[in-house]
């Protein structure tokens, strides 16, 4: 049974930093394609960042956010710097099998999801 558990969210001020973590179990983490998505109130869930052999970012976070992974700890990270009020959302960790089809930025490409962690950025 695949489990993804996010942590690290909180309330911060604009310009601050946060690091989100996603602890994974029930899968071969080293080969698994991982991503972060977010959903703001009243909006659809959107792609933030993904990591395979390369890293990919949404334009809105490029240069401010960094996705990384520690395969020894089965953990995915999202380092978020220079946070803005528009970054306020619930952040979700997602996983998919290494040979699955679909685009890295598409929600439907990921069968496994965490429960989310709230990030609130005040102005």
């Amino acid at each position: 049974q695949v489990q993804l558990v996010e942590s690290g969210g909180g309330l911060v001020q604009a310009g601050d930093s946060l690091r989100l973590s996603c602890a994974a179990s029930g899968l071969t983490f080293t080969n698994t394609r991982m991503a972060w998505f977010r959903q703001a109130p009243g909006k659809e869930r959107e792609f933030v960042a993904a990591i395979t052999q390369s890293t990919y970012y949404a334009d809105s976070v490029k240069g401010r956010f960094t996705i990384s992974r520690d395969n020894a700890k089965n953990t995915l990270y999202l380092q978020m710097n220079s946070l803005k009020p528009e970054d306020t959302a619930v952040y979700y960790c997602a996983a998919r099998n290494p040979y699955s089809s679909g685009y890295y930025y598409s929600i439907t490409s990921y069968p496994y999801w965490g429960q989310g962690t709230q990030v609130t950025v005040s102005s």
Side-chain angles (χ1 to χ4, degrees):
Q1 180 182 355
V2 176
Q3 276 197 315
L4 302 174
V5 180
E6 301 97 333
S7 62
L11 171 63
V12 297
Q13 292 188 330
D16 285 351
S17 299
L18 273 178
R19 188 176 81 157
L20 305 183
S21 299
C22 172
S25 60
L27 46 74
T28 304
F29 186 77
T30 303
N31 297 331
T32 302
R33 299 181 180 186
M34 305 291 297
W36 289 97
F37 289 77
R38 67 185 181 186
Q39 187 166 17
K43 295 188 176 182
E44 294 186 351
R45 195 169 298 188
E46 64 176 7
F47 169 76
V48 175
I51 184 166
T52 57
Q53 300 301 320
S54 301
T55 56
Y56 307 90
Y57 297 95
D59 288 342
S60 59
V61 306
K62 202 171 294 183
R64 299 188 298 122
F65 291 10
T66 302
I67 188 172
S68 63
R69 63 194 299 162
D70 185 333
N71 291 333
K73 296 183 178 180
N74 282 12
T75 302
L76 178 73
Y77 301 101
L78 185 68
Q79 177 67 44
M80 305 185 295
N81 298 330
S82 302
L83 282 162
K84 305 176 181 180
E86 50 263 45
D87 294 319
T88 295
V90 177
Y91 283 71
Y92 297 91
C93 170
R96 62 178 179 144
N97 297 318
Y99 304 109
S100 60
S101 61
Y103 295 108
Y104 62 83
Y105 51 80
S106 175
I107 293 171
T108 58
S109 298
Y110 296 86
Y112 308 113
W113 292 84
Q115 84 290 347
T117 185
Q118 177 71 47
V119 172
T120 303
V121 185
S122 63
S123 57

